[in-house]
Amino acid sequence: MRRKIKTRVLYKRTSSLAVTRESVSSLYTFGYGQFRRIFRKIGGLMKERGLIEDVEELLESGHRVYISQGVAVLGVFTLIGAISALGRIIDAVTDPIIASLSDRIAMAIASCAHALGYKPYWFDLSSFHGTTGSEMIKKQNALYSFGSKLSQRSRLFNRLYWEPLNSEGFRKLSYNAVDQKNAELLVPLYANFPKDIPFAGTHVWPAQGAVHGGLKNVANVIPDNWPMGLHLSEGALHTVQTPFAFAGYKMLKGMTKKKTLGMPSGSLLYTGHYVDHELVSNLYEDTEKRRKRIEEGKPLRLLIPVGGAGAGKEMIKELLRYLAPRIEKKDVQVLLNFGDHLNMYEALCKELPELMKGAAVHFDTYEEVEKMALHMDQHLEGVHVFYHQDIFEAVYATNLLMRESDLLLTKPSELSFYPIPKLFLKRVGGHEAYGAIYAAQQGDGTAECETKEEMIGMMEALLSQKELLLAMNRRILQLHKQQVYHGGYEVVKLLTERES
């Protein structure tokens, strides 16, 4: 009994000291961050004199990086709209420059915020090295990444565990309750934020952390079409991309066996798809060029993003084998974006040596890719592969190439909601199935191709029957007239209107 009492007292004391450590860490980072501009200026002078090669060397050795460069953690990035007067939003902490980004949805909202005249800032929860909250996110991400990779290698694991976990396990309110409690560990990281700052969390964890941290103007930007308790952040304004998701979240459908009243009035809003301003503002022009290429029988341009978990690698390999003679005849052009996953490129080179040997390689040439995307007709033939070590460039290269592509081949992830005809490969996790179902119903994508045979059959149809792609492009224009692709703007407007 005495041992239990002593243990309990020790636990409480240790817990209180852990909170103190987090608070001190946050205050230290804030204080040091105020000197960042001075460090950068000194670094520039030292670089001019040849004392250092890169300004970042001085910053990284001088203090803890507040906004980490190119860290991708399960899309856990938060966008902070710098919308208040006098630039009061963390200007003292970091330069008003967006560092390397990774989360696709957050990038889209940042793009829309910038287009609306605001200056978006980034807050990366994983960058507080050594803090409890940051380490928790890294561990969770590592575990999820392991599960995703294993699901691609083991059909049994995928069928019996991974698919049910991602569709039904994460759907339960009981799962959300655990996450809500874990989010309390993030509170010290928000200590120096103004409480009324407009804050959009592009994953539920930063949104939960913001609410627990006392922030009053928080948007929880929900990514998927399948409603899950996982994505709830009580106290935040929730936004969704589809009417199906709105109805499911409103009634908390399937999230508990007990009777619920659903979500409170005003806590959930349908915004439409979260799409980058650069794609939305050029949608008519890009769709018309796409339609013209199809009508004139030009080579079909296929854009294939390849993920780090190896999702769809076997299907992509089989697809490339099927396309090889058509590539040789110049009927098809292929753009393979490996993002920042060099290992995936190397794996395909070993398995398809002849095809990959003849491919044009674009490694860490983002400016070149920008120019190439503007004049694609002059450059494109055969297979082109892209890789960027910088995570922002790696992800955004897909957006650049998308504008000049005819068909996107992807698993039904965030890209399910983008304004380009889509052929859907097999999902990773049961929740993704509903992204493909939604796109097929909307008419701007195919049904999910769960087998190699389905994929080849669908590809054959798209190559031989141009009315399929023409119909998708017409549907994209119709959806655009309905402002379905304006979700990114709507999230920013919701936050600014709430503040005013």
Side-chain angles (χ1 to χ4, degrees):
M1 186 67 179
R2 289 181 178 178
R3 181 174 295 178
K4 285 185 178 180
I5 294 173
K6 288 181 179 179
T7 303
R8 193 173 301 155
V9 171
L10 183 60
Y11 172 78
K12 288 183 178 180
R13 184 173 297 177
T14 303
S15 299
S16 65
L17 290 174
V19 173
T20 302
R21 186 194 70 172
E22 301 298 313
S23 300
V24 171
S25 174
S26 177
L27 183 61
Y28 172 83
T29 303
F30 172 76
Y32 232 138
Q34 295 190 70
F35 293 96
R36 184 176 174 85
R37 292 178 177 175
I38 298 173
F39 291 155
R40 189 177 290 278
K41 181 66 175 178
I42 294 172
L45 295 172
M46 294 176 70
K47 183 178 179 181
E48 289 178 7
R49 298 184 183 184
L51 298 175
I52 59 174
E53 294 183 1
D54 187 1
V55 175
E56 296 303 318
E57 291 181 13
L58 183 67
L59 294 176
E60 291 176 6
S61 62
H63 66 92
R64 178 177 297 164
V65 180
Y66 185 75
I67 302 291
S68 68
Q69 307 296 310
V71 178
V73 179
L74 195 60
V76 181
F77 287 83
T78 51
L79 168 70
I80 303 168
I83 299 162
S84 299
L86 304 177
R88 63 182 173 82
I89 303 176
I90 66 171
D91 257 346
V93 178
T94 183
D95 291 344
I97 298 173
I98 300 177
S100 302
L101 318 179
S102 77
D103 179 76
R104 180 168 297 283
I105 293 176
M107 287 166 56
I109 296 173
S111 172
C112 292
H114 184 265
L116 291 172
Y118 304 125
K119 184 190 294 181
Y121 285 83
W122 289 80
F123 172 55
D124 177 7
L125 286 172
S126 68
S127 67
F128 294 85
H129 307 299
T131 63
T132 303
S134 183
E135 293 305 313
M136 175 190 71
I137 288 173
K138 290 176 183 177
K139 296 295 184 183
Q140 293 266 39
N141 175 63
L143 190 61
Y144 191 87
S145 179
F146 173 77
S148 293
K149 292 177 180 178
L150 187 57
S151 73
Q152 296 299 293
R153 298 170 186 169
S154 170
R155 291 183 182 180
L156 190 64
F157 173 79
N158 187 53
R159 182 176 180 180
L160 297 181
Y161 183 76
W162 198 245
E163 282 263 322
L165 174 66
N166 278 271
S167 57
E168 294 301 327
F170 292 157
R171 193 181 184 191
K172 304 303 180 185
L173 286 178
S174 56
Y175 186 93
N176 176 263
V178 175
D179 266 5
Q180 290 276 13
K181 195 64 180 175
N182 284 342
E184 293 179 10
L185 298 172
L186 303 171
V187 169
L189 307 182
Y190 295 82
N192 297 301
F193 282 24
K195 300 305 180 186
D196 59 347
I197 186 174
F199 188 102
T202 58
H203 186 278
V204 68
W205 294 341
Q208 290 171 346
V211 173
H212 283 303
L215 275 65
K216 304 299 183 184
N217 193 7
V218 179
N220 177 30
V221 183
I222 296 175
D224 298 315
N225 188 35
W226 179 240
M228 295 192 289
L230 165 73
H231 289 305
L232 295 172
S233 177
E234 188 176 359
L237 171 67
H238 297 70
T239 67
V240 293
Q241 300 189 82
T242 72
F244 176 81
F246 178 85
Y249 278 106
K250 184 63 181 174
M251 299 309 298
L252 302 177
K253 183 174 174 57
M255 298 182 191
T256 179
K257 293 180 180 179
K258 298 179 180 179
K259 184 178 179 180
T260 68
L261 298 176
M263 294 184 65
S265 177
S267 65
L268 175 69
L269 292 166
Y270 161 70
T271 60
H273 303 184
Y274 316 129
V275 180
D276 308 70
H277 168 73
E278 292 77 15
L279 295 173
V280 178
S281 61
N282 292 291
L283 189 149
Y284 282 117
E285 177 188 349
D286 294 343
T287 305
E288 176 58 26
K289 286 193 293 184
R290 203 173 284 135
R291 185 200 63 78
K292 187 176 180 181
R293 285 194 300 270
I294 295 168
E295 290 280 17
E296 294 177 354
K298 296 286 182 68
L300 192 68
R301 293 176 185 165
L302 309 180
L303 173 58
I304 310 175
V306 183
K313 189 187 81 169
E314 291 302 314
M315 295 188 80
I316 290 172
K317 185 173 65 176
E318 294 302 322
L319 176 66
L320 291 173
R321 284 190 176 130
Y322 163 77
L323 291 173
R326 291 160 178 79
I327 295 171
E328 189 174 348
K329 292 179 182 178
K330 300 183 180 179
D331 292 334
V332 171
Q333 300 165 340
V334 177
L335 306 171
L336 283 165
N337 183 18
F338 290 91
D340 63 336
H341 309 297
L342 190 60
N343 61 316
M344 298 304 299
Y345 165 73
E346 293 170 344
L348 273 183
C349 284
K350 289 179 181 178
E351 297 176 28
L352 298 171
E354 292 302 318
L355 181 66
M356 298 302 288
K357 191 193 322 182
V361 178
H362 309 272
F363 280 12
D364 289 317
T365 56
Y366 187 73
E367 291 183 2
E368 175 191 317
V369 175
E370 284 184 303
K371 294 176 183 177
M372 176 182 173
L374 295 173
H375 308 285
M376 192 76 80
D377 292 327
Q378 302 173 19
H379 297 278
L380 199 58
E381 188 174 295
V383 178
H384 288 249
V385 299
F386 303 86
Y387 162 81
H388 293 89
Q389 188 174 9
D390 181 284
I391 188 64
F392 169 72
E393 296 174 350
V395 173
Y396 214 78
T398 294
N399 285 18
L400 294 174
L401 299 170
M402 191 184 300
R403 292 191 55 197
E404 293 291 333
S405 297
D406 299 315
L407 181 67
L408 176 69
L409 289 88
T410 178
K411 69 186 184 75
S413 58
E414 292 96 338
L415 288 169
S416 304
F417 304 94
Y418 273 63
I420 179 175
K422 295 167 285 285
L423 188 159
F424 288 113
L425 306 177
K426 183 174 174 57
R427 64 187 178 270
V428 180
H431 64 296
E432 289 190 342
Y434 296 86
I437 291 171
Y438 170 76
Q441 290 174 333
Q442 290 289 79
D444 64 351
T446 71
E448 178 187 358
C449 298
E450 296 191 52
T451 66
K452 179 186 73 174
E453 291 74 22
E454 288 180 353
M455 176 188 65
I456 297 299
M458 186 64 73
M459 191 72 251
E460 183 71 43
L462 291 169
L463 284 169
S464 61
Q465 303 176 46
K466 63 182 181 182
E467 60 264 34
L468 290 172
L469 285 174
L470 290 173
M472 287 187 191
N473 282 294
R474 284 195 299 271
R475 187 60 182 147
I476 287 170
L477 292 176
Q478 291 170 357
L479 293 171
H480 184 47
K481 287 181 181 178
Q482 300 168 21
Q483 298 190 339
V484 169
Y485 303 113
H486 285 219
Y489 304 115
E490 293 304 313
V491 170
V492 177
K493 290 176 183 177
L494 286 170
L495 286 170
T496 57
E497 289 170 5
R498 288 181 95 200
E499 185 199 30
S500 60

